[in-house]
Each structure stands twice: as structure tokens, then as C-alpha cells.
Amino acid sequence: MRILVIEDSHGLRASIGALLEAHGHRADFAADGRGGLELALADPPDVLVLDLGLPGLDGLRVCAALRERADRHVPVLMLTARDALDDRLRGFEAGADDYLVKPFAGEELLARCLALSRRHRAGEPHLLRVGPLAIDRRSATAHRDGRPLELQQTPYRILLALAEAWPRTLTRSELVQRLWGDEVPPSDPLRSHLYLLRQALDRPFDTPMLKTVHGVGFKLDADA
């Protein structure tokens, strides 16, 4: 991975750099928010490690500006010396993907960076295409044959999961885990959301894209 670390503490930058390089990763550094933001926009890293309390432009504003201006999703691990819930919520609202409270173990930082890189398919553009389907991950919108799809949140997340997995078939259990984790609603939560997705994705068109693979799960047909 190539990881950009925006941190004003020289000692912490040095220790994080030594850790990353010892595990075969490349580390770039910035000591202030404005300089770090320009580096992230000019050459997006696989993961951005971002301190919350930066001089000049703080971590919240750096993260918000990155989300607004970058042409792809850069996973952001935000570092803070504060463990208050409000601080974490503000970070997530600004676009952070994960949070790590100082002081932390270097191995945990490395593990979180690896998880973010895999989870967010580091370096991929915001626009995802599968045949006639186009999904903009930044705006959370989707179009088929140039026509906007009116999708509620959960059907959109199902569509995004299927598009990111394409051409693979996703099992029902994989979709349920992706949507609800370990807190699955007691009834069959997937059925109604799949129905709503089909109404938006397939009903206005001649050929359905959402296919049921009997005994396996669901997939998208790019040739529809």
C-alpha cells in the first residue's frame, strides 16, 4: 500500500513511517492540513492516516474537502487524542471511514489500514459501470441507460454490493451480512428490499439485470 500520513508530530510521523516501511508499505508525509490535502488530491493514496488536530486546516476540514474534490474514494483513518463520542461522530460526518484514539498500538494502525484498503477497493474511481448500469459511489446515485434510478438506501446498497462483486454471484448470506452485519432483523429482511430494487432497476426496461441464481444467490447481468 501507499499510505499518506498527515500528522503534525514529528515523532509520531517517524514511528508510523518506520512501522509501515518495515512491513513493505510506502509512506508519504505532510505536517499540516493544507499541504496534506494538496498531496492527497494530486496523487491519491491507498489509505490516508489523518490527524484530527492539525494546524491551519484541521482534520475535519481536510476530510470534508477531500470528499468534495477527489475523483475517487480515498479511505481515511482519523487519529485523535480525544475519545468523546461527539468527536467520533463529527469525524464520520466529515467522511472518515475509521477512527483510532491516541495512544495506539502500531500493529492496530497497520491492521486498520489494511482493512480499509480492502473494504474500499483502494484507488478505484467513484464511477462504477456494469453494462448499461452506472453507479456514482460519491453521490450514491445510479443510472441505467442514462436514466436515473429512484432507489431507497437499502436497495441502493444491495445494487452497489452486486455491482462491486460482478461478475460473481453473491449469496443471500453475503448480502445479509453486508447490509446488517450481526444485527439481522427477525423477519426475512432481504425479500422486500430486493423487490424494491427490481422495481427501480428492471421494471422500466425490457430486460431484467438482476438475476436470481437458484440455490446460490443473486447477480447482475451486464448484457441486459
Side-chain angles (χ1 to χ4, degrees):
M1 291 183 298
R2 187 174 65 83
I3 300 174
L4 173 60
V5 180
I6 309 178
E7 166 63 57
D8 62 330
S9 167
H10 174 76
L12 187 53
R13 288 200 310 272
S15 63
I16 291 175
L19 171 74
L20 296 174
E21 291 173 4
H23 287 82
H25 306 294
R26 173 185 162 192
D28 296 323
F29 301 96
D32 64 90
R34 294 188 187 281
L37 175 61
E38 293 307 315
L39 283 176
L41 291 171
D43 189 9
D46 294 324
V47 177
L48 172 59
V49 177
L50 176 62
D51 186 34
L52 180 61
L54 292 168
L57 198 65
D58 67 22
L60 292 176
R61 289 189 288 169
V62 170
C63 192
L66 181 69
R67 291 290 175 255
E68 181 180 348
R69 296 168 57 187
D71 67 350
R72 65 196 62 201
H73 185 83
V74 177
V76 173
L77 174 61
M78 192 165 282
L79 305 180
T80 179
R82 304 191 291 267
D83 192 23
L85 176 60
D86 285 347
D87 291 323
R88 295 199 302 273
L89 292 177
R90 288 170 62 212
F92 289 130
E93 288 172 1
D97 297 290
D98 200 359
Y99 226 90
L100 193 55
V101 178
K102 302 175 184 178
F104 50 82
E107 291 77 9
E108 182 177 5
L109 180 140
L110 181 62
R112 287 175 182 261
C113 286
L114 287 167
L116 284 175
S117 176
R118 293 173 183 142
R119 185 189 315 160
H120 293 278
R121 305 164 73 94
E124 288 194 353
H126 285 300
L127 191 62
L128 176 64
R129 293 188 180 276
V130 177
L133 174 69
I135 300 176
D136 188 328
R137 287 180 276 208
R138 178 163 52 183
S139 62
T141 57
H143 292 71
R144 179 173 173 182
D145 289 329
R147 295 170 58 180
L149 304 180
E150 297 296 329
L151 292 167
Q152 297 178 20
Q153 183 181 35
T154 300
Y156 168 78
R157 292 176 62 200
I158 294 172
L159 182 62
L160 179 61
L162 291 168
E164 289 179 341
W166 182 86
R168 187 170 69 88
T169 299
L170 282 184
T171 66
R172 174 177 288 270
S173 61
E174 282 179 306
L175 277 174
V176 169
Q177 179 65 32
R178 172 83 175 254
L179 296 169
W180 294 287
D182 296 326
E183 299 180 0
V184 183
S187 59
D188 180 1
L190 200 56
R191 183 187 300 273
S192 61
H193 294 298
L194 284 169
Y195 172 79
L196 291 174
L197 175 57
R198 284 193 167 98
Q199 291 295 102
L201 176 66
D202 291 335
R203 186 175 182 183
F205 301 92
D206 294 334
T207 308
M209 282 195 74
L210 179 55
K211 303 290 187 181
T212 300
V213 182
H214 295 287
V216 182
F218 308 92
K219 67 179 295 185
L220 292 177
D221 182 2
D223 297 322

